[in-house]
Amino acid sequence: MMTIRTRKLIGTIVLLVFLAVYALLAMAVAIVLQVKTSSKLVELAYYAVAGLAWVLPAGLIISWMGRPDPPAPDA
């Protein structure tokens, strides 16, 4: 059983690693799109989607981190 304090520590580390990896992957895809001289509309759509796509996984991690501790069993 994990306490909220432990979940916050693990969640913070996972969130930082996730955001760093996501940013690098998004940048790599943007470079490929630019090199292939995609249309400006495709490029704009990519930046809009890539700029917002990290929000859902980050929100799930944050909501997991904030779950309250289960009540202690009666002894």
Side-chain angles (χ1 to χ4, degrees):
M1 178 169 38
M2 246 190 277
T3 64
I4 192 168
R5 187 173 180 169
T6 307
R7 279 194 306 274
K8 284 186 179 185
L9 174 65
I10 293 170
T12 300
I13 293 167
V14 168
L15 193 58
L16 289 173
V17 169
F18 166 72
L19 289 176
V21 170
Y22 180 82
L24 291 173
L25 287 174
M27 180 181 63
V29 172
I31 290 171
V32 169
L33 282 177
Q34 194 175 36
V35 169
K36 292 187 176 188
T37 60
S38 298
S39 71
K40 295 297 179 189
L41 186 60
V42 170
E43 202 171 339
L44 177 66
Y46 169 74
Y47 287 124
V49 170
L52 295 173
W54 63 273
V55 173
L56 183 61
L60 292 173
I61 293 170
I62 291 170
S63 70
W64 174 78
M65 289 167 50
R67 277 193 326 202
D69 287 337
D74 294 332

